[in-house]
Amino acid sequence: MTTISLIGAGGKMGMRLSKNLKNSDYKVNHVEISEQGRKNLKEQLNIDAIGPDQQNSALEASDAVILAVPDTLIGKISSQVCEHLKPGTMVVVLDAAAPFAGHLPKRDDLVYFVTHPCHPVIFNKELNQDALNDHFGGLHAKQSVVSTLLQGPDSAWELGEDIAKTIYAPIKNSYRVTLHQMAMLEPGLSETVCATLLTAMRQAMDEVVDGGVPYDCARDFLLGHMNILAAVIFDEIDGQFSDACNKAIDNGLGKLLHPDWKKVFNKDELAHSIQLIT
């Protein structure tokens, strides 16, 4: 049986992963240094966590270690953890930022696997209410996952992908990408572009509300148009915009975006963005 040590098992992300790992085929060491985190695991999932006194022995016996800790702590914690890992152990990181920034220890005898959820898509066709309301994923709604085998033999991919599918289940699709491509997806596509433009849309809605339009009216109008416009733009349905809408888009692009905005996907720009969050 493959043994996994989940570091930060009682934290926000760790609790999500602990729940999915609890009934898996893996033997799991739920490692949590904080008393509150261990209490959370016991009260919410009936899991007896491993505290700091037993952490090192658990790591030494691990086949894989998942780092469910903040990006800003990956460098520090991974260095501490990797000191106790036997050669061939897989270290699973849940975001591309720290690996892209070079914060993982220099140990050629370890396997480094990076994986991140896509979250359930907006065009959710799930049939039950729980799945429809699972916006983050990992509970009821299917989501896709992207992963990269950063370091180690190609034969390690199967284990890494299975761990990824287990912790983020239920799964829609599993994609294999490079680390650079993963950084293009996040923070590039998801945060620098999508989150920023959505924030601008919320600010635009607030501006309309300040202009006298009732909040509920403005929100329904915007979210409704987001639904149909996105369905056309992202090939969910076969449709076309009117000539007037296309002219409004051309006018808006010139006013809202710099002509060279796509440079956010350049490697240097990605490195700068990642530096800000790590």
Side-chain angles (χ1 to χ4, degrees):
M1 181 178 291
T2 301
T3 299
I4 296 176
S5 287
L6 175 60
I7 308 300
K12 183 178 180 181
M13 192 64 187
M15 289 291 289
R16 290 179 176 273
L17 272 54
S18 292
K19 184 174 183 179
N20 279 352
L21 284 167
K22 183 179 178 182
N23 298 318
S24 72
D25 294 331
Y26 295 106
K27 176 183 177 182
V28 183
N29 298 318
H30 296 84
V31 180
E32 177 56 55
I33 63 171
S34 76
E35 183 177 348
Q36 182 60 51
R38 294 194 296 273
K39 183 179 179 182
N40 292 341
L41 284 164
K42 186 62 177 177
E43 292 181 348
Q44 299 179 37
L45 298 176
N46 196 28
I47 291 174
D48 293 316
I50 293 175
D53 293 341
Q54 297 82 35
Q55 174 177 310
N56 292 345
S57 59
L59 291 173
E60 292 167 0
S62 299
D63 300 301
V65 175
I66 303 174
L67 302 179
V69 298
D71 289 332
T72 53
L73 298 177
I74 289 288
K76 177 182 178 181
I77 293 177
S78 63
S79 295
Q80 296 171 347
V81 165
C82 288
E83 289 180 1
H84 304 282
L85 302 183
K86 62 180 182 289
T89 303
M90 175 177 288
V91 179
V92 180
V93 185
L94 306 181
D95 192 279
F100 190 88
H103 292 327
L104 296 181
K106 303 298 182 182
R107 273 197 60 178
D108 295 337
D109 60 340
L110 296 178
V111 176
Y112 288 153
F113 190 89
V114 187
T115 185
H116 195 78
C118 294
H119 305 298
V121 296
I122 290 177
F123 306 112
N124 190 336
K125 295 181 175 62
E126 302 282 356
L127 299 179
N128 65 80
Q129 198 64 35
D130 287 338
L132 288 172
N133 291 326
D134 183 13
H135 302 293
F136 188 90
L139 293 174
H140 308 285
K142 290 182 179 180
Q143 64 177 335
S144 296
V145 60
V146 292
S147 307
T148 183
L149 180 60
L150 180 60
Q151 175 179 298
D154 200 63
S155 57
W157 171 262
E158 185 176 354
L159 173 61
E161 185 181 42
D162 190 71
I163 292 174
K165 288 181 175 181
T166 300
I167 62 178
Y168 295 132
I171 296 297
K172 178 175 177 279
N173 293 308
S174 175
Y175 301 106
R176 185 171 183 174
V177 298
T178 67
L179 183 65
H180 183 216
Q181 290 169 338
M182 188 174 285
M184 290 175 69
L185 291 171
E186 183 160 315
L189 184 62
S190 64
E191 296 173 343
T192 305
V193 176
C194 184
T196 299
L197 293 180
L198 286 172
T199 299
M201 291 169 66
R202 173 56 195 263
Q203 292 177 354
M205 189 192 83
D206 291 341
E207 188 72 14
V208 169
V209 172
D210 289 342
V213 177
Y215 171 88
D216 289 340
C217 174
R219 186 176 186 274
D220 284 352
F221 198 85
L222 177 59
L223 294 182
H225 278 75
M226 284 175 62
N227 185 25
I228 180 57
L229 294 173
V232 174
I233 291 173
F234 291 100
D235 307 315
E236 184 68 16
I237 63 173
D238 184 15
Q240 294 182 345
F241 293 155
S242 66
D243 290 341
C245 182
N246 286 324
K247 289 179 180 178
I249 291 172
D250 290 339
N251 180 57
L253 284 173
K255 288 181 168 62
L256 298 177
L257 297 175
H258 289 293
D260 63 343
W261 70 268
K262 292 179 183 178
K263 70 179 182 180
V264 298
F265 293 107
N266 294 344
K267 192 169 184 179
D268 290 343
E269 288 290 335
L270 288 173
H272 173 70
S273 180
I274 287 173
Q275 185 181 20
L276 295 176
I277 61 177
T278 58

